[in-house]
Amino acid sequence: PTRKVEENWVRDYPAPISGCFNIGLLHTNANGSPNHDRYAPCSVDELVSKGYQYWALGHVHEHQVLIQGS
């Protein structure tokens, strides 16, 4: 909604839907990479604990795998 977002939006995402493949889309600097501006900060642990099967994250414009699924 604004150029600078300091709030963590992960907690506002809905609960995952049982029996569905749940995807979250978030423009964030997850884990606070020092090479990029702070934006909608969150941790990988918070993303995992939400229970979604996949998170598509934007803001850091380079391919990264933050955690591998099992």
Side-chain angles (χ1 to χ4, degrees), residues 2-3 8-9 15 22 26-28 39 43 51 62-63:
T2 64
R3 180 135 174 89
N8 179 340
W9 286 8
N22 296 268
L26 181 61
H27 187 216
T28 182
Y39 191 90
S43 70
E62 59 189 47
H63 178 262

Side-chain angles (χ1 to χ4, degrees), residues 11-37:
R11 63 188 74 116
D12 295 332
Y13 275 71
I17 298 171
S18 180
C20 292
F21 189 86
N22 296 268
I23 299 172
L25 178 65
L26 181 61
H27 187 216
T28 182
N29 184 355
N31 280 354
S33 170
N35 299 325
H36 298 276
D37 292 337

Side-chain angles (χ1 to χ4, degrees), residues 1-7 9 27 38-40 59:
T2 64
R3 180 135 174 89
K4 191 172 190 177
V5 175
E6 295 287 334
E7 299 84 26
W9 286 8
H27 187 216
R38 179 177 163 90
Y39 191 90
H59 187 65

